[in-house]
Coordinates of all heavy atoms in Angstrom, one line a residue:
M18 N 21.2 -2.6 16.4 CA 20.6 -1.4 15.8 C 19.6 -1.8 14.7 O 19.9 -2.5 13.8 CB 21.6 -0.5 15.3 CG 21.2 0.8 14.8 SD 22.5 1.9 14.4 CE 22.1 2.5 12.8
I19 N 18.5 -1.2 14.8 CA 17.5 -1.5 13.7 C 17.7 -0.6 12.6 O 17.8 0.7 12.7 CB 16.0 -1.3 14.3 CG1 15.8 -2.3 15.4 CG2 15.0 -1.4 13.1 CD1 14.4 -2.2 16.1
T20 N 17.8 -1.1 11.4 CA 18.1 -0.3 10.2 C 16.8 0.0 9.4 O 15.7 -0.5 9.8 CB 18.9 -1.0 9.2 OG1 18.2 -2.2 8.6 CG2 20.3 -1.5 9.8
L21 N 16.9 0.9 8.5 CA 15.7 1.3 7.7 C 15.2 0.0 6.9 O 13.9 -0.2 6.8 CB 16.0 2.3 6.6 CG 16.0 3.7 7.1 CD1 16.5 4.6 5.9 CD2 14.7 4.2 7.6
L22 N 16.0 -0.8 6.5 CA 15.6 -2.1 5.8 C 14.8 -3.0 6.7 O 13.8 -3.5 6.4 CB 16.8 -2.8 5.2 CG 17.4 -2.3 4.0 CD1 18.7 -3.1 3.6 CD2 16.5 -2.1 2.9
D23 N 15.3 -3.1 8.0 CA 14.6 -3.8 9.0 C 13.3 -3.3 9.3 O 12.2 -4.0 9.3 CB 15.3 -3.9 10.4 CG 16.6 -4.6 10.2 OD1 16.7 -5.6 9.5 OD2 17.6 -4.2 11.0
Q24 N 13.1 -1.9 9.3 CA 11.8 -1.3 9.5 C 10.9 -1.5 8.2 O 9.7 -1.8 8.5 CB 12.0 0.2 9.7 CG 12.6 0.6 11.0 CD 12.8 2.1 11.2 OE1 13.5 2.6 10.4 NE2 12.3 2.6 12.3
F25 N 11.3 -1.4 7.1 CA 10.5 -1.6 5.9 C 10.1 -3.1 5.9 O 9.0 -3.4 5.7 CB 11.3 -1.4 4.6 CG 11.3 0.0 4.2 CD1 12.5 0.7 4.0 CD2 10.1 0.6 3.9 CE1 12.5 2.0 3.6 CE2 10.1 1.9 3.4 CZ 11.3 2.6 3.3
A26 N 11.1 -4.1 6.1 CA 10.6 -5.5 6.3 C 9.7 -5.8 7.2 O 8.6 -6.6 7.0 CB 11.9 -6.4 6.4
A27 N 9.7 -5.2 8.4 CA 8.8 -5.5 9.5 C 7.4 -4.9 9.1 O 6.4 -5.5 9.3 CB 9.2 -4.9 10.8
N28 N 7.4 -3.7 8.6 CA 6.2 -3.1 8.1 C 5.5 -3.8 7.1 O 4.3 -4.0 7.1 CB 6.4 -1.6 7.8 CG 5.1 -0.9 7.4 OD1 4.7 -1.0 6.2 ND2 4.6 -0.2 8.3
L29 N 6.2 -4.2 6.0 CA 5.6 -4.9 4.8 C 5.3 -6.4 5.2 O 4.3 -6.9 4.7 CB 6.6 -4.9 3.7 CG 6.8 -3.4 3.1 CD1 8.0 -3.4 2.2 CD2 5.6 -3.0 2.4
G30 N 6.0 -6.9 6.1 CA 5.8 -8.3 6.5 C 4.5 -8.4 7.4 O 4.1 -9.6 7.6
E31 N 3.9 -7.3 7.7 CA 2.6 -7.4 8.5 C 1.5 -7.9 7.6 O 0.5 -8.5 8.1 CB 2.2 -6.1 9.1 CG 3.2 -5.7 10.2 CD 2.8 -4.2 10.7 OE1 2.0 -3.6 10.3 OE2 3.6 -3.8 11.7
A32 N 1.5 -7.7 6.3 CA 0.5 -8.2 5.5 C 0.6 -9.7 5.3 O 1.7 -10.2 5.1 CB 0.7 -7.6 4.0
E33 N -0.5 -10.4 5.6 CA -0.4 -11.9 5.7 C -0.1 -12.5 4.4 O 0.4 -13.7 4.3 CB -1.6 -12.4 6.3 CG -2.9 -12.4 5.4 CD -4.1 -13.0 6.1 OE1 -4.4 -12.6 7.2 OE2 -4.8 -13.8 5.5
D34 N -0.3 -11.8 3.2 CA 0.1 -12.5 1.9 C 1.4 -12.0 1.4 O 1.8 -12.2 0.2 CB -1.1 -12.1 0.9 CG -1.1 -10.7 0.6 OD1 -0.7 -9.8 1.4 OD2 -1.7 -10.3 -0.5
A35 N 2.2 -11.3 2.3 CA 3.5 -10.8 1.8 C 4.7 -11.8 2.3 O 4.6 -12.3 3.4 CB 3.7 -9.4 2.3
V36 N 5.6 -11.9 1.5 CA 6.9 -12.6 1.7 C 8.0 -11.6 1.6 O 8.1 -10.9 0.5 CB 7.1 -13.8 0.8 CG1 8.4 -14.4 1.0 CG2 6.0 -14.8 0.8
T37 N 8.7 -11.4 2.6 CA 9.9 -10.4 2.6 C 11.2 -11.1 2.8 O 11.3 -12.1 3.5 CB 9.7 -9.3 3.7 OG1 9.8 -9.9 4.9 CG2 8.4 -8.6 3.5
A38 N 12.3 -10.5 2.2 CA 13.6 -11.0 2.4 C 14.6 -9.8 2.2 O 14.4 -9.0 1.3 CB 14.0 -12.0 1.4
I39 N 15.5 -9.7 3.2 CA 16.6 -8.7 3.1 C 17.8 -9.4 2.5 O 18.3 -10.4 3.0 CB 16.9 -8.1 4.5 CG1 15.7 -7.4 5.1 CG2 18.1 -7.2 4.4 CD1 15.9 -6.9 6.4
V40 N 18.3 -8.8 1.4 CA 19.5 -9.3 0.8 C 20.5 -8.1 0.5 O 20.1 -7.2 -0.2 CB 19.2 -9.9 -0.6 CG1 20.5 -10.4 -1.3 CG2 18.2 -11.1 -0.4
G41 N 21.5 -8.0 1.2 CA 22.5 -6.9 1.0 C 21.9 -5.6 1.5 O 21.3 -5.5 2.6
D42 N 21.8 -4.6 0.6 CA 21.3 -3.3 1.0 C 19.8 -3.1 0.4 O 19.4 -2.0 0.2 CB 22.1 -2.2 0.4 CG 22.2 -2.1 -1.1 OD1 21.8 -3.1 -1.7 OD2 22.8 -1.1 -1.6
S43 N 19.1 -4.3 0.2 CA 17.8 -4.3 -0.3 C 16.9 -5.2 0.4 O 17.3 -6.2 1.0 CB 17.7 -4.6 -1.8 OG 18.5 -3.7 -2.5
V44 N 15.6 -4.8 0.5 CA 14.6 -5.7 1.0 C 13.6 -6.0 -0.2 O 13.3 -5.1 -1.0 CB 13.8 -5.1 2.2 CG1 13.0 -3.8 1.8 CG2 12.8 -6.1 2.7
Y45 N 13.3 -7.2 -0.4 CA 12.4 -7.7 -1.4 C 11.1 -8.1 -0.9 O 11.0 -8.8 0.1 CB 13.0 -8.9 -2.2 CG 14.3 -8.6 -3.0 CD1 15.5 -8.5 -2.3 CD2 14.2 -8.1 -4.3 CE1 16.7 -8.2 -2.9 CE2 15.5 -7.8 -4.9 CZ 16.6 -7.8 -4.3 OH 17.8 -7.5 -4.9
V46 N 10.0 -7.7 -1.6 CA 8.6 -8.1 -1.1 C 7.9 -8.6 -2.3 O 7.8 -8.0 -3.3 CB 7.9 -6.9 -0.5 CG1 6.6 -7.2 0.1 CG2 8.7 -6.1 0.5
R47 N 7.2 -9.8 -2.0 CA 6.3 -10.3 -3.0 C 5.0 -10.6 -2.4 O 5.0 -11.2 -1.3 CB 6.9 -11.6 -3.6 CG 6.0 -12.1 -4.7 CD 6.7 -13.3 -5.5 NE 5.8 -13.7 -6.5 CZ 4.8 -14.5 -6.4 NH1 4.5 -14.9 -5.2 NH2 4.1 -14.9 -7.5
Y48 N 3.9 -10.3 -3.0 CA 2.6 -10.5 -2.5 C 2.0 -11.7 -3.2 O 2.2 -11.9 -4.4 CB 1.7 -9.2 -2.8 CG 2.1 -8.1 -2.0 CD1 2.8 -7.1 -2.5 CD2 1.9 -8.0 -0.6 CE1 3.3 -6.0 -1.8 CE2 2.3 -6.9 0.1 CZ 3.0 -5.9 -0.5 OH 3.5 -4.8 0.2
A49 N 1.2 -12.5 -2.6 CA 0.8 -13.8 -3.1 C 0.0 -13.7 -4.4 O 0.0 -14.5 -5.3 CB 0.0 -14.6 -2.1
N50 N -0.7 -12.6 -4.5 CA -1.7 -12.4 -5.6 C -1.0 -11.7 -6.8 O -1.7 -11.3 -7.7 CB -2.9 -11.7 -5.2 CG -2.6 -10.4 -4.6 OD1 -1.5 -10.0 -4.4 ND2 -3.7 -9.6 -4.4
D51 N 0.3 -11.4 -6.7 CA 0.9 -10.6 -7.7 C 2.3 -11.2 -8.1 O 3.1 -11.5 -7.2 CB 1.1 -9.2 -7.3 CG 1.3 -8.3 -8.4 OD1 2.2 -8.5 -9.2 OD2 0.6 -7.3 -8.5
P52 N 2.6 -11.4 -9.4 CA 4.0 -12.0 -9.7 C 5.1 -11.0 -9.5 O 6.2 -11.4 -9.4 CB 3.8 -12.4 -11.2 CG 2.8 -11.5 -11.7 CD 1.8 -11.2 -10.5
A53 N 4.7 -9.7 -9.5 CA 5.8 -8.7 -9.4 C 6.4 -8.6 -8.0 O 5.8 -9.1 -7.0 CB 5.2 -7.3 -9.7
V54 N 7.6 -8.2 -8.0 CA 8.4 -8.0 -6.8 C 8.7 -6.6 -6.5 O 9.1 -5.8 -7.4 CB 9.8 -8.9 -6.8 CG1 10.6 -8.6 -5.6 CG2 9.5 -10.3 -6.9
L55 N 8.5 -6.1 -5.3 CA 8.9 -4.8 -4.9 C 10.2 -4.9 -4.3 O 10.5 -5.6 -3.4 CB 7.9 -4.2 -3.9 CG 8.2 -2.8 -3.3 CD1 8.3 -1.8 -4.4 CD2 7.2 -2.4 -2.2
K56 N 11.2 -4.1 -4.8 CA 12.6 -4.0 -4.3 C 12.8 -2.6 -3.6 O 12.6 -1.6 -4.3 CB 13.6 -4.3 -5.4 CG 15.0 -4.2 -5.0 CD 16.0 -4.3 -6.1 CE 17.4 -4.2 -5.7 NZ 18.3 -4.2 -6.9
I57 N 13.2 -2.6 -2.4 CA 13.5 -1.4 -1.8 C 15.0 -1.3 -1.4 O 15.5 -2.2 -0.7 CB 12.7 -1.1 -0.5 CG1 11.2 -1.2 -0.8 CG2 13.0 0.1 0.2 CD1 10.3 -1.2 0.4
T58 N 15.7 -0.4 -1.9 CA 17.2 -0.3 -1.7 C 17.4 1.0 -0.9 O 16.9 2.0 -1.2 CB 17.9 -0.2 -3.0 OG1 17.5 -1.4 -3.8 CG2 19.4 -0.3 -2.9
T59 N 18.3 0.9 0.1 CA 18.8 2.1 0.8 C 20.3 2.3 0.6 O 21.0 1.4 0.6 CB 18.4 2.0 2.3 OG1 19.1 0.9 2.8 CG2 17.0 1.8 2.6
R60 N 20.6 3.5 0.4 CA 22.0 3.9 0.3 C 22.3 5.0 1.2 O 22.0 6.2 1.0 CB 22.4 4.3 -1.1 CG 22.3 3.1 -2.1 CD 22.9 3.5 -3.4 NE 22.9 2.3 -4.3 CZ 21.9 1.8 -5.0 NH1 20.8 2.5 -4.9 NH2 22.0 0.7 -5.7
P61 N 22.9 4.7 2.4 CA 23.1 5.7 3.4 C 24.2 6.7 3.0 O 25.2 6.3 2.4 CB 23.6 4.9 4.6 CG 23.3 3.5 4.4 CD 23.2 3.3 2.9
G62 N 24.0 7.9 3.4 CA 25.0 9.0 3.2 C 25.3 9.6 4.6 O 25.1 8.9 5.6
V63 N 26.0 10.7 4.6 CA 26.3 11.3 5.9 C 25.2 11.7 6.7 O 25.0 11.3 7.8 CB 27.3 12.5 5.6 CG1 27.7 13.2 7.0 CG2 28.6 12.0 4.9
D64 N 24.3 12.6 6.2 CA 23.1 13.0 6.9 C 21.8 12.7 6.2 O 20.7 13.3 6.5 CB 23.2 14.6 7.0 CG 24.3 15.0 7.9 OD1 24.5 14.3 9.0 OD2 24.9 16.0 7.7
E65 N 21.9 11.7 5.3 CA 20.7 11.4 4.6 C 20.7 9.9 4.1 O 21.9 9.4 4.0 CB 20.4 12.3 3.4 CG 21.6 12.3 2.5 CD 21.5 13.5 1.4 OE1 21.0 14.6 1.8 OE2 21.9 13.3 0.4
V66 N 19.6 9.4 3.7 CA 19.6 8.1 3.0 C 18.8 8.1 1.7 O 17.7 8.6 1.7 CB 18.9 7.1 4.0 CG1 18.8 5.7 3.3 CG2 19.7 7.0 5.3
K67 N 19.4 7.7 0.7 CA 18.7 7.6 -0.6 C 17.9 6.3 -0.6 O 18.4 5.2 -0.4 CB 19.6 7.7 -1.8 CG 18.9 7.7 -3.1 CD 19.7 7.9 -4.3 CE 18.9 7.8 -5.5 NZ 19.6 8.0 -6.8
I68 N 16.6 6.3 -0.9 CA 15.8 5.3 -0.9 C 15.2 5.1 -2.3 O 14.7 6.1 -2.9 CB 14.6 5.4 0.2 CG1 15.2 5.5 1.6 CG2 13.7 4.2 0.0 CD1 14.2 5.8 2.6
T69 N 15.3 3.9 -2.9 CA 14.8 3.6 -4.2 C 13.7 2.4 -4.1 O 14.0 1.4 -3.4 CB 15.9 3.2 -5.1 OG1 16.9 4.3 -5.2 CG2 15.3 2.9 -6.6
F70 N 12.5 2.7 -4.7 CA 11.5 1.6 -4.9 C 11.6 1.2 -6.2 O 11.7 2.0 -7.2 CB 10.1 2.2 -4.5 CG 10.0 2.8 -3.2 CD1 9.2 4.0 -3.0 CD2 10.5 2.1 -2.0 CE1 9.1 4.6 -1.8 CE2 10.3 2.7 -0.8 CZ 9.6 3.9 -0.6
Q71 N 11.6 -0.1 -6.5 CA 11.6 -0.6 -7.9 C 10.7 -1.8 -8.0 O 10.6 -2.7 -7.1 CB 13.1 -1.1 -8.2 CG 13.2 -1.5 -9.7 CD 14.7 -1.8 -10.0 OE1 15.3 -2.3 -9.2 NE2 15.0 -1.6 -11.3
L72 N 9.8 -1.7 -9.0 CA 8.9 -2.8 -9.3 C 9.4 -3.7 -10.4 O 9.8 -3.2 -11.4 CB 7.5 -2.2 -9.8 CG 6.4 -3.2 -10.0 CD1 6.0 -3.9 -8.8 CD2 5.2 -2.6 -10.6
I73 N 9.6 -4.9 -10.1 CA 10.2 -5.9 -11.0 C 9.3 -7.1 -11.4 O 8.8 -7.7 -10.4 CB 11.6 -6.5 -10.4 CG1 12.5 -5.4 -9.9 CG2 12.3 -7.5 -11.3 CD1 13.6 -5.8 -9.1
H74 N 9.0 -7.2 -12.6 CA 8.2 -8.3 -13.0 C 9.1 -9.5 -13.5 O 10.1 -9.3 -14.1 CB 7.4 -7.8 -14.3 CG 6.2 -8.9 -14.5 ND1 6.4 -10.0 -15.3 CD2 4.9 -8.9 -14.2 CE1 5.3 -10.6 -15.4 NE2 4.4 -10.0 -14.7
P75 N 8.7 -10.7 -13.0 CA 9.6 -11.8 -13.3 C 9.9 -12.2 -14.8 O 10.9 -12.6 -15.2 CB 8.8 -13.1 -12.7 CG 7.5 -12.6 -12.4 CD 7.6 -11.1 -12.3
E76 N 8.9 -11.7 -15.6 CA 9.0 -12.0 -17.1 C 9.6 -10.8 -17.9 O 10.2 -11.0 -18.9 CB 7.7 -12.5 -17.8 CG 7.3 -13.9 -17.1 CD 5.8 -14.1 -17.7 OE1 5.5 -13.5 -18.7 OE2 5.3 -15.1 -17.2
H77 N 9.3 -9.6 -17.4 CA 9.6 -8.5 -18.1 C 10.8 -7.6 -17.5 O 11.2 -6.6 -18.0 CB 8.4 -7.5 -18.3 CG 7.2 -8.2 -18.8 ND1 7.3 -8.7 -20.2 CD2 6.1 -8.7 -18.3 CE1 6.1 -9.2 -20.4 NE2 5.3 -9.3 -19.3
G78 N 11.2 -7.9 -16.3 CA 12.3 -7.2 -15.7 C 11.8 -6.0 -15.0 O 10.6 -5.9 -14.7
P79 N 12.6 -5.0 -14.8 CA 12.2 -3.7 -14.0 C 11.1 -3.1 -14.8 O 11.2 -2.9 -16.1 CB 13.5 -3.0 -14.0 CG 14.6 -3.9 -14.1 CD 14.0 -5.0 -14.9
I80 N 10.0 -2.6 -14.2 CA 8.9 -2.0 -14.9 C 8.9 -0.5 -14.6 O 8.7 0.3 -15.4 CB 7.6 -2.6 -14.4 CG1 7.5 -4.0 -14.9 CG2 6.4 -1.8 -14.9 CD1 6.4 -4.8 -14.4
D81 N 9.2 -0.1 -13.3 CA 9.0 1.2 -12.8 C 9.9 1.4 -11.6 O 10.3 0.5 -10.9 CB 7.7 1.6 -12.5 CG 7.4 3.1 -12.5 OD1 8.3 3.9 -12.9 OD2 6.3 3.5 -12.3
A82 N 10.4 2.7 -11.3 CA 11.2 2.9 -10.2 C 10.9 4.3 -9.8 O 10.5 5.2 -10.5 CB 12.7 2.7 -10.5
A83 N 11.2 4.5 -8.5 CA 11.0 5.9 -7.9 C 12.1 6.0 -6.8 O 12.3 5.0 -6.0 CB 9.7 6.1 -7.4
S84 N 12.6 7.1 -6.6 CA 13.6 7.3 -5.5 C 13.4 8.7 -4.9 O 12.8 9.6 -5.4 CB 15.0 7.2 -6.0 OG 15.4 8.1 -6.9
F85 N 13.8 8.8 -3.6 CA 13.8 10.0 -2.8 C 14.9 10.0 -1.8 O 15.4 8.9 -1.5 CB 12.4 10.3 -2.2 CG 12.0 9.3 -1.3 CD1 12.2 9.6 0.2 CD2 11.5 8.1 -1.5 CE1 11.8 8.6 1.1 CE2 11.1 7.1 -0.6 CZ 11.3 7.4 0.7
T86 N 15.2 11.1 -1.1 CA 16.1 11.2 -0.1 C 15.4 11.4 1.2 O 14.7 12.4 1.3 CB 17.1 12.3 -0.5 OG1 17.7 12.1 -1.7 CG2 18.2 12.5 0.6
L87 N 15.8 10.6 2.2 CA 15.3 10.8 3.5 C 16.3 11.5 4.4 O 17.4 10.9 4.5 CB 14.9 9.4 4.1 CG 14.3 9.3 5.5 CD1 12.9 9.9 5.4 CD2 14.3 7.9 6.0
T88 N 16.0 12.7 4.8 CA 17.1 13.4 5.6 C 16.9 13.1 7.1 O 15.9 12.5 7.5 CB 16.8 14.9 5.4 OG1 15.6 15.2 6.0 CG2 16.9 15.3 4.0
R89 N 17.9 13.4 7.9 CA 17.8 13.2 9.3 C 16.7 13.9 10.0 O 16.1 13.3 10.9 CB 19.1 13.7 10.0 CG 20.2 12.7 10.1 CD 21.3 13.4 10.9 NE 22.4 12.5 10.6 CZ 23.1 11.9 11.5 NH1 22.7 12.0 12.8 NH2 24.1 11.1 11.2
A90 N 16.2 15.0 9.5 CA 15.1 15.7 10.0 C 13.7 15.0 9.8 O 12.8 15.1 10.5 CB 15.0 17.1 9.5
Q91 N 13.7 14.1 8.8 CA 12.5 13.4 8.5 C 12.4 12.1 9.2 O 13.4 11.4 9.5 CB 12.4 13.1 7.0 CG 12.3 14.4 6.2 CD 12.4 14.1 4.7 OE1 13.4 13.4 4.3 NE2 11.6 14.7 3.8
K92 N 11.2 11.7 9.6 CA 11.0 10.4 10.2 C 10.7 9.3 9.3 O 10.4 9.5 8.1 CB 9.8 10.5 11.2 CG 9.9 11.7 12.2 CD 10.9 11.3 13.3 CE 10.9 12.4 14.3 NZ 12.2 12.8 14.9
F93 N 10.8 8.0 9.8 CA 10.6 6.9 8.9 C 9.1 6.9 8.4 O 8.8 6.4 7.3 CB 10.8 5.6 9.7 CG 10.5 4.4 8.9 CD1 11.3 4.0 7.9 CD2 9.5 3.5 9.3 CE1 11.1 2.8 7.1 CE2 9.2 2.4 8.6 CZ 10.1 2.0 7.5
D94 N 8.2 7.6 9.1 CA 6.8 7.7 8.7 C 6.7 8.4 7.3 O 5.9 8.0 6.5 CB 6.0 8.5 9.7 CG 5.8 7.8 10.9 OD1 5.9 6.5 11.0 OD2 5.4 8.4 12.0
F95 N 7.7 9.3 7.0 CA 7.7 10.0 5.7 C 8.0 8.9 4.6 O 7.4 8.9 3.5 CB 8.8 11.0 5.6 CG 8.9 11.7 4.3 CD1 8.0 12.6 3.8 CD2 10.0 11.3 3.5 CE1 8.1 13.2 2.6 CE2 10.1 11.9 2.3 CZ 9.2 12.9 1.7
A96 N 9.0 8.0 4.9 CA 9.3 7.0 3.9 C 8.1 6.0 3.7 O 7.9 5.6 2.6 CB 10.5 6.2 4.4
L97 N 7.4 5.7 4.8 CA 6.2 4.8 4.7 C 5.2 5.5 3.8 O 4.4 4.9 3.1 CB 5.7 4.5 6.1 CG 6.5 3.5 6.8 CD1 5.9 3.3 8.1 CD2 6.7 2.2 6.1
E98 N 5.0 6.9 4.0 CA 4.0 7.6 3.2 C 4.3 7.5 1.7 O 3.4 7.2 0.9 CB 3.9 9.1 3.6 CG 3.3 9.2 5.0 CD 3.4 10.7 5.5 OE1 3.9 11.6 4.7 OE2 3.0 10.9 6.7
Q99 N 5.6 7.6 1.4 CA 6.0 7.5 0.0 C 5.8 6.1 -0.5 O 5.3 5.9 -1.6 CB 7.6 7.9 -0.1 CG 7.9 9.2 0.3 CD 7.3 10.2 -0.7 OE1 7.4 10.1 -1.8 NE2 6.5 11.3 -0.1
L100 N 6.1 5.1 0.3 CA 5.8 3.8 -0.1 C 4.4 3.5 -0.4 O 4.1 2.8 -1.4 CB 6.3 2.8 1.1 CG 6.1 1.3 0.7 CD1 6.8 0.8 -0.5 CD2 6.6 0.5 2.0
E101 N 3.5 4.0 0.4 CA 2.1 3.8 0.3 C 1.6 4.3 -1.1 O 0.7 3.8 -1.7 CB 1.3 4.4 1.4 CG 1.3 3.6 2.7 CD 0.4 4.3 3.8 OE1 -0.6 4.8 3.4 OE2 0.9 4.1 5.0
V102 N 2.1 5.4 -1.4 CA 1.7 6.1 -2.7 C 2.0 5.2 -3.9 O 1.2 4.9 -4.7 CB 2.4 7.4 -2.9 CG1 2.3 8.0 -4.3 CG2 1.8 8.5 -1.9
Y103 N 3.3 4.6 -3.9 CA 3.7 3.8 -4.9 C 3.0 2.4 -4.9 O 2.7 1.8 -5.9 CB 5.2 3.7 -5.0 CG 5.8 5.0 -5.5 CD1 6.3 5.9 -4.6 CD2 5.7 5.3 -6.8 CE1 6.8 7.1 -5.1 CE2 6.2 6.6 -7.3 CZ 6.7 7.4 -6.4 OH 7.3 8.6 -6.9
Q104 N 2.8 1.9 -3.7 CA 2.0 0.6 -3.6 C 0.7 0.9 -4.2 O 0.1 -0.1 -4.9 CB 2.0 0.2 -2.2 CG 3.2 -0.4 -1.7 CD 3.0 -1.0 -0.3 OE1 2.7 -0.3 0.6 NE2 3.4 -2.3 -0.1
D105 N 0.0 1.9 -3.9 CA -1.3 2.2 -4.5 C -1.4 2.2 -6.0 O -2.3 1.7 -6.7 CB -2.0 3.5 -3.9 CG -2.4 3.4 -2.5 OD1 -2.4 2.3 -1.9 OD2 -2.6 4.5 -1.9
I106 N -0.3 2.8 -6.5 CA -0.2 2.8 -8.0 C 0.1 1.4 -8.6 O -0.5 0.9 -9.5 CB 0.9 3.8 -8.4 CG1 0.5 5.2 -8.0 CG2 1.3 3.8 -9.9 CD1 1.6 6.3 -8.1
W107 N 1.2 0.8 -8.0 CA 1.7 -0.4 -8.6 C 0.9 -1.7 -8.3 O 0.9 -2.7 -9.0 CB 3.1 -0.7 -8.2 CG 4.1 0.3 -8.7 CD1 4.0 1.0 -9.8 CD2 5.4 0.7 -8.1 NE1 5.0 1.8 -10.1 CE2 6.0 1.6 -9.0 CE3 6.0 0.3 -7.0 CZ2 7.2 2.2 -8.7 CZ3 7.3 0.9 -6.7 CH2 7.9 1.8 -7.6
F108 N 0.2 -1.7 -7.1 CA -0.4 -2.9 -6.7 C -2.0 -2.8 -6.5 O -2.6 -3.6 -5.9 CB 0.1 -3.5 -5.3 CG 1.6 -3.9 -5.5 CD1 2.6 -3.1 -5.0 CD2 1.9 -5.1 -6.1 CE1 3.9 -3.5 -5.1 CE2 3.2 -5.5 -6.3 CZ 4.2 -4.6 -5.7
A109 N -2.5 -1.7 -7.1 CA -3.9 -1.5 -7.0 C -4.8 -2.4 -7.9 O -4.4 -3.0 -8.8 CB -4.3 0.0 -7.4

């Protein structure tokens, strides 16, 4: 079964300068031109999944975070839309 983390890793791994790794309930992404790491954590519930995006700088620790709940009625595309918004802010 493909998990949300697998989907995030596959989508983010498409960028040729991205390195992704799944560790536990998180996927980590680092882009070659940026020292910061994007951490995506999923916490499954009964009918929903809490998703947290966190930007972590190697020298300063966590810089910013955002979270939302993905319900069964919503598709993974909704999560990708949310991710794109924060990527535009954090990696622009």
Side-chain angles (χ1 to χ4, degrees):
M18 183 172 131
I19 296 176
T20 67
L21 280 175
L22 289 179
D23 293 328
Q24 290 177 302
F25 275 121
N28 182 275
L29 294 165
E31 290 177 359
E33 69 180 52
D34 66 340
V36 175
T37 63
I39 296 176
V40 179
D42 63 352
S43 300
V44 62
Y45 295 83
V46 183
R47 184 171 183 280
Y48 297 99
N50 61 349
D51 197 310
V54 173
L55 173 62
K56 176 184 177 185
I57 302 171
T58 304
T59 60
R60 292 195 175 78
V63 176
D64 289 325
E65 59 192 29
V66 177
K67 182 174 180 179
I68 298 173
T69 303
F70 303 137
Q71 187 175 31
L72 184 65
I73 304 169
H74 192 279
E76 294 177 13
H77 306 290
I80 296 173
D81 199 1
S84 64
F85 65 97
T86 300
L87 184 68
T88 65
R89 264 183 201 246
Q91 296 168 316
K92 305 285 186 215
F93 181 66
D94 291 341
F95 176 77
L97 288 179
E98 290 171 8
Q99 297 297 308
L100 176 61
E101 283 183 33
V102 169
Y103 289 101
Q104 281 183 309
D105 288 347
I106 294 168
W107 291 335
F108 295 103

